[in-house]
Amino acid sequence: MTVNILKHSLVELDARNRAKSILDEGTFRELLDPFAEIESPHLEGQGIVPQSDDGVVIAKGKISEQEALVISIEASFQGGGIGEVSGAKIAGALELALQDNINGNQVFPVLLFDTGGVRLQEANYGLLSIAEIGSAIVALRNYVPVVGLIPGKIGAFGGMSITAGLCSTLIMTKEGRIGLNGPEVIEQEAGIEELDSQDRQRIWKTIGGEQRVATGMAERLVEDDISSIKDAIQNALATGNNVLPRSRQVEQFCHLLSAVDPKEDINPYDVRKSWNRIVEGEKFIRKNSSDLPVEGEDGRGLTWFKALTGIKEAAQREIPSVLCADQKTGDVNTRFIAVVPDSNSKYPRSRNGEIGLEQGWIIAKYIHEAIEEDKNREKRAIVAIVDVPSQAYGYKEELLGLHQACAAAVDAYATARMAGHPVISLIVGNAISGAFLSHGMQANRLLAFNDDSVNVHVMSKQSAARITRRTIAELEEATKKVPAMAYDVQSFSRLGALHELIEGVDFDQPDQKDINLVMDKVNEAIYDAKNSNRDIANRLKSPEAVGGGRTASIKVREKLKELW
């Protein structure tokens, strides 16, 4: 038996050399390398020096003599943040790998995560890109396993933690971390009492690699050693698609939530014990958190759920904050899903309509239920009514895997769309950050009310200012130069992702005429989706996108295709 005493760190390498070390020797070929000079067009005007590879390395080569695609994110550039160019490189490469696999040419994708999520200086460009990345991963998993690796340094946060949660296999080192909300953001949004961002020991015990593997949120823990990491990747590729992805393990993770009481102190070891009992076969009885939302709780999500379904008081199914009802839209059977406030939620951080642990998993449950029921009949449409102020910001949420709950919802919406269900997103209020990625962004068509109360973004202004080290005034000034940084829906519309902006409606107190107008718009979007491809590439083909809203995204994909 040979013992490997001399270890070679992967963490200490830059993104390019990480990709080289993963591939078989001599097979590394980089696409859109620095000499291609593809830079972000949105940074220089903000006083930031762009980088000629925009912080992402795309490499083709072989792993164990099999064709592979390695995507490696560089943490030292903008914290590994995903902007328009870097996001398009990742999404575009995965889309090309998908097409190869569809054509019978196997290409195995491996993603090396080292990212804080969306690059705030490009905001909604990153949000759109991460949705496209997630869509490609869910589609690719039908052909080959998608392997993710979190080696260390930054880890995987924000929307990219949701992306990691979609991988077939996730490999981590002890130094790696994964969570939807970074410690600094939780401290900013919920206070130092919720989480002290300087308490490094607590943070690693909560979201570090060892804890994540022990609680089912990653598959394998490895040493920071190139040889060991390569072996783990090769084993993951050899396993194929024989294991149900975490984002499809709805029942198991719902059991995990039922096994803990958030009213009590929960520590990492409690979560490990609960997960081990689930793995060993013990089942838990779900405890409902409260009664239905009481009359008088406001929120456009609830207003428009009632208006479009005609249901004044929805029957409780799982939790009060996720409403689900089946009604006709024109002559189309439709499932409406809305997330609404619940002042009695047992998770205090998700009482105002946020996407929390329960919301993510229950959305996934309702959608997979529709997919299964419609397997051998006409696919009903699914309409996501979107008014989500954010994801939940809390210590317990991160400990129990909020990113994985959000990944489950993303997976479900994308799977439904690819199975032939027309999926429509109706943005009636806020559509913020990981909450919007989870509930709405995987739709075939995005509709939105043209109203000042409708906001689309990746983070609150306070947190965005803290992370980018700006004042709120400086942040607002930057939005004038980069529409993707703005919060208003008109600026978001300029990026080309919206199918239509709806006007001429009383958005807060609609009468029957208003309801009929919105229902007609939803019905038109359903039929448009039925007669179109099942992907979300239409967001890159709209007049707004082609005319300037997504110019860099389109250019990157064209260049990648030439080099592929």
Side-chain angles (χ1 to χ4, degrees), residues 19 53 59 102-103 120 176 186 319 337 366 373 411 425 445 496 537 553:
D53 61 10
I102 291 171
N103 294 338
L120 292 175
I186 296 175
I319 57 173
I337 299 174
Y366 288 156
E373 290 174 357
D411 189 323
S425 174
R445 300 291 183 268
S553 301

Side-chain angles (χ1 to χ4, degrees), residues 170-201:
L170 188 60
I171 302 164
M172 297 183 69
T173 67
K174 285 184 179 181
E175 295 79 13
R177 302 178 299 166
I178 182 171
L180 184 53
N181 301 302
E184 294 83 2
V185 176
I186 296 175
E187 183 179 279
Q188 174 67 42
E189 296 287 345
I192 197 170
E193 300 84 4
E194 185 70 22
L195 185 64
D196 180 354
S197 64
Q198 301 303 309
D199 190 345
R200 295 172 62 82
Q201 186 176 26

Side-chain angles (χ1 to χ4, degrees), residues 211 214-215 256 259-261 264-278 284 395 399-400:
Q211 175 70 9
T215 53
L256 175 62
V260 298
D261 185 352
E264 299 177 357
D265 289 336
I266 311 170
N267 64 56
Y269 299 104
D270 293 332
V271 181
R272 291 192 190 197
K273 289 176 186 175
S274 296
W275 181 254
N276 287 337
R277 288 160 65 193
I278 292 164
F284 297 90
Y395 166 74
L399 176 62
L400 291 164

Side-chain angles (χ1 to χ4, degrees), residues 154-165:
I154 290 178
F157 289 96
M160 290 303 281
S161 72
I162 298 175
T163 300

Side-chain angles (χ1 to χ4, degrees), residues 17 124 176 268 273 285 300 339 345 456 529:
N17 283 302
N124 289 332
K273 289 176 186 175
I285 299 173
R300 281 191 180 172
V339 177
S345 173
V456 182

